[in-house]
Amino acid sequence: MPRPSPPDVRSDRAQVDGPELRRGDVARRERNPQQALHHFRELLDRHELEESVVGRQHAPRQDLVQSLVARQQAAEVARKIARFHPADIAFILEGLPLEQRSRLWHLVPPELDGAVLLETSDAVRESLIADMDRAEIISAAKRLDSDDIADLVPHLPSDLVSELLSALSREDRDQVQSVLSFPEGSVGALMDFDMVSVREDNPIEAVLRYLRRRGGLPHNTNKLMVVDEGGVLTGVLFFDSLLIHDTERLVREVMDADPVSFRTDDDARDAALAFERYGLVAAPVVNAHGQLVGRLTVDAVMEQAVDSAQQDMLSQVGLRRDEDLFANIWQSARNRWPWLAINLMTAFIASRVIGLFEDSIEKIVALAALMPIVASIGGNTGNQAVALTIRGLALDQIDRSNAQDLALKELGVSLANGALWGSVMGVATWLIYGQALLGVVMTAAMVLNMLLAALIGIGIPLGLGALGRDPAMGSSIMLTFFTD
């Protein structure tokens, strides 16, 4: 039988109202984090007002009075924030302006720092880390599991990483370096090492004794990993099989010998699809030799999927990276420069195309009022095609074999919609301006622009994907250029 795994490194956190504080098991989970954010905003605003009033008074021993007020306020906020789940604390911090965020962050209990950092967005995490000294960062990181430390390392100052690694135990250090060796977006980079494995040649009775002696199970555990003498994965043992079968039977006789498993170099996106398809809670991860090296859990997969979706949203509108809502103006402006520059150039080109028809517009002024309608409808059509294509690529439902069929289908949809709504546009133009020929022109313009928008809406994500780039990158900006 394998030896019991070491206790959770987070188990040394302070007790909050009795129960042991873990990343997934704390005293209070806020059901309405928006309300909590509003409460702390009001609380901090009230404290600032109190400090301002006390500061304007000229009482004896003024410094002592101010100090006592500040300590009382800090104790009140610290007592309240300590009762929240790390994810809720992260939500509150992300919703506060920089000055109030810094003030609240210094009042978060040190034993929660690491867990809160893991829950915040990348941009906010950087601002929080910049507000900590080296000892605080190392102390916060050491309270985390090795896989969580690996998630935190890329956001730490480079000169601090070696100091942090040297402060870890040899086992934790090896595990952190193992996770860091895998490329971002791979299963190996997401896996954790906190799992329970048993030998296939053990009887169920021995497994039950081992579990009782172990005393606890890792979070998101609904099965045991089964290995042979060489550590090669041979199956998984679900708890219901463990409980309903005779205790004298061997593990290999009741285990699932064909489990869903992943290799360390598998794409995390493919793993997320498998978790959704098969309703997985956790799955074993093996190396190139089939040996069990870790496990992948549903919370890691969900976090990866949410981060990927948010990044796709930002890429679609040309943002290069996650942006702190309350970052300083200079940082936010720089984040938006590149694609704004591209947008300016594409808009200028579109304006020159319109300039070629200045004579026509001067003769028929109605064209100036009608052109934005055509461009707007075309943009909406293209955005619909872009969204469907990006989703299909994300789900691996689109490849070279069916891309042409998809394009023909979208062109057919655009032709039908263009004929319908173009006719409506043409009739409205005729009724408003009394020019039947102008109505025909607007109908044709609507149909052609919607066909172009659908073609571009499919072509941009497919082209970016073929080039190995993010299919969502700047797609809305490029689409606007073509439809305009």
Side-chain angles (χ1 to χ4, degrees):
M1 292 288 295
R3 290 178 295 124
S5 301
D8 192 322
V9 295
R10 291 186 292 256
S11 61
D12 60 343
R13 286 184 179 162
Q15 304 288 324
V16 178
D17 288 351
E20 180 184 278
L21 187 58
R22 295 172 179 264
R23 186 181 178 190
D25 180 22
V26 295
R28 173 180 175 184
R29 291 175 175 83
E30 181 56 52
R31 295 185 179 181
N32 190 345
Q34 290 85 0
Q35 184 176 348
L37 172 60
H38 180 69
H39 171 73
F40 276 98
R41 280 177 181 162
E42 289 185 338
L43 186 63
L44 293 171
D45 287 340
R46 177 166 57 84
H47 286 177
E48 290 175 3
L49 179 61
E50 291 174 354
E51 291 176 356
S52 176
V53 171
V54 171
R56 289 197 298 266
Q57 295 176 351
H58 300 286
R61 309 184 69 178
Q62 178 71 14
D63 292 341
L64 177 60
V65 173
Q66 288 181 313
S67 175
L68 290 175
V69 170
R71 290 177 60 183
Q72 183 180 12
Q73 292 173 345
E76 179 186 7
V77 175
R79 183 174 62 254
K80 291 184 176 181
I81 199 67
R83 295 177 56 82
F84 283 80
H85 188 280
D88 294 324
I89 297 176
F91 178 86
I92 294 169
L93 290 169
E94 290 176 352
L96 292 174
L98 293 179
E99 185 176 345
Q100 289 188 337
R101 178 189 299 166
S102 176
R103 182 174 180 177
L104 182 61
W105 176 234
H106 286 297
L107 298 178
V108 173
E111 59 270 14
L112 288 177
D113 284 351
V116 173
L117 287 173
L118 289 173
E119 299 290 351
T120 58
S121 64
D122 290 349
V124 173
R125 185 183 300 124
E126 290 179 4
S127 72
L128 297 180
I129 289 176
D131 219 10
M132 303 171 68
D133 59 36
R134 300 173 70 90
E136 288 176 329
I137 296 174
I138 293 176
S139 175
K142 287 175 64 177
R143 296 177 183 274
L144 301 173
D145 287 338
S146 53
D147 54 298
D148 291 333
I149 296 175
D151 290 340
L152 197 59
V153 163
H155 305 281
L156 300 180
S158 55
D159 61 334
L160 185 62
V161 174
S162 58
E163 184 178 347
L164 170 61
L165 292 177
S166 63
L168 301 176
S169 67
R170 181 175 180 179
E171 180 182 7
D172 286 342
R173 182 166 58 250
D174 291 343
Q175 290 179 349
V176 170
Q177 291 174 334
S178 174
V179 173
L180 291 175
S181 67
F182 296 106
E184 185 178 359
S186 67
V187 168
L190 294 182
M191 70 177 180
D192 70 56
F193 303 94
D194 193 9
M195 59 184 174
V196 181
S197 62
V198 295
R199 289 268 296 275
E200 63 178 358
D201 54 357
N202 280 321
I204 291 179
E205 181 181 5
V207 174
L208 292 173
R209 285 201 308 269
Y210 164 64
L211 293 178
R212 284 193 291 268
R213 188 169 65 252
R214 194 178 190 278
L217 294 172
H219 188 53
N220 285 330
T221 297
N222 68 333
K223 63 176 76 75
L224 308 179
M225 314 303 176
V226 182
V227 297
D228 62 14
E229 293 181 359
V232 174
L233 179 72
T234 58
V236 296
L237 179 61
F238 288 93
F239 286 142
D240 55 355
S241 298
L242 184 65
L243 296 175
I244 65 178
H245 288 97
D246 189 271
T247 57
E248 296 181 357
R249 299 188 65 178
L250 298 179
V251 169
R252 69 163 66 96
E253 297 175 357
V254 299
M255 72 179 185
D256 178 1
D258 187 27
V260 177
S261 62
F262 303 97
R263 288 177 44 145
T264 53
D265 56 354
D266 284 343
D267 193 314
R269 185 182 61 179
D270 296 334
L273 296 176
F275 266 71
E276 190 275 334
R277 186 181 306 120
Y278 302 118
L280 301 176
V281 174
V285 179
V286 299
N287 59 20
H289 305 290
Q291 295 173 316
L292 180 68
V293 293
R295 67 169 186 153
L296 190 61
T297 60
V298 65
D299 52 356
V301 169
M302 285 185 61
E303 184 176 350
Q304 170 73 11
V306 170
D307 289 344
S308 178
Q310 292 177 344
Q311 188 57 49
D312 283 347
M313 250 187 336
L314 295 174
S315 297
Q316 196 168 344
V317 295
L319 287 175
R320 296 180 302 168
R321 46 162 291 177
D322 181 23
E323 183 176 309
D324 183 357
L325 286 176
F326 298 99
N328 65 60
I329 295 175
W330 179 248
Q331 288 179 338
S332 296
R334 284 191 304 172
N335 189 30
R336 305 180 194 189
W337 276 351
W339 280 98
L340 287 178
I342 294 174
N343 195 18
L344 178 61
M345 289 187 290
T346 57
F348 180 78
I349 294 172
S351 71
R352 298 317 307 150
V353 173
I354 295 174
L356 297 176
F357 300 91
E358 286 181 353
D359 293 340
S360 300
I361 294 175
E362 287 178 357
K363 294 175 182 178
I364 309 176
V365 180
L367 288 174
L370 295 172
M371 279 192 303
I373 300 176
V374 178
S376 176
I377 295 296
N380 288 335
T381 299
N383 279 325
Q384 291 169 349
V386 165
L388 287 173
T389 305
I390 291 175
R391 178 180 180 274
L393 290 171
L395 297 176
D396 287 333
Q397 295 174 336
I398 301 175
D399 54 28
R400 291 183 179 180
S401 65
N402 60 10
Q404 184 177 350
D405 294 331
L406 175 64
L408 291 175
K409 176 255 182 179
E410 285 300 316
L411 288 174
V413 171
S414 296
L415 180 60
N417 283 333
L420 172 62
W421 300 111
S423 299
V424 173
M425 177 74 172
V427 171
T429 301
W430 176 38
L431 293 176
I432 294 173
Y433 297 100
Q435 301 183 42
L437 184 58
L438 182 58
V440 173
V441 170
M442 296 312 299
T443 299
M446 185 82 79
V447 172
L448 291 174
N449 202 22
M450 291 180 73
L451 288 172
L452 175 66
L455 190 61
I456 296 300
I458 297 172
I460 291 175
L462 289 178
L464 290 171
L467 295 173
R469 308 301 295 271
D470 182 359
M473 186 176 64
S475 55
S476 292
I477 294 173
M478 298 304 297
L479 175 66
T480 300
F481 162 62
F482 283 107
T483 55
D484 286 350

